[in-house]
């Protein structure tokens, strides 16, 4: 997010998240990842496993988009 917020015209377009969830439920793990992004100023309505999820962030009143793919 540091790079995206400071260099939005050259932002990171895709983020792949690989998580070892051990005994955790998939939904629980996705919720934890989603909360992390929300706390770091990203709009993220929902997060689906093994799919492209669009996220948005604002810099200087302009909205930028990138993809989060949790695996």
């Amino acid at each position: 997010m540091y790079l995206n917020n400071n260099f939005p015209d050259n932002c990171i377009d895709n983020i792949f998240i690989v998580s070892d969830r051990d005994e955790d439920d998939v939904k629980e793990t996705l919720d934890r990842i989603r909360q992390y992004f929300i706390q770091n100023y990203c709009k993220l309505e929902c997060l689906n496993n093994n799919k492209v999820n669009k996220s948005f962030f604002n810099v200087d009143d302009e909205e930028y988009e990138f993809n989060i793919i949790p695996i």
Side-chain angles (χ1 to χ4, degrees):
M1 288 313 303
Y2 172 81
L3 293 173
N4 284 3
N5 286 325
N6 289 292
F7 307 99
D9 292 326
N10 297 312
C11 72
I12 295 171
D13 295 321
N14 296 296
I15 298 174
F16 292 86
I17 300 174
V18 178
S19 178
D20 179 12
R21 54 185 185 82
D22 295 322
E23 306 281 321
D24 293 346
D25 181 67
V26 172
K27 184 182 179 324
E28 184 179 309
T29 302
L30 291 173
D31 285 342
R32 192 170 43 247
I33 294 168
R34 182 176 167 272
Q35 287 304 314
Y36 172 81
F37 280 97
I38 289 171
Q39 290 171 352
N40 287 283
Y41 312 107
C42 293
K43 294 179 186 174
L44 189 58
E45 302 276 324
C46 66
L47 195 60
N48 295 301
N49 199 30
N50 296 319
K51 295 187 181 188
V52 174
N53 298 269
K54 300 234 178 263
S55 182
F56 304 92
F57 64 100
N58 291 306
V59 175
D60 296 329
D61 295 326
E62 270 198 61
E63 189 167 77
Y64 295 88
E65 177 182 313
F66 67 99
N67 299 313
I68 300 172
I69 302 101
I71 299 173

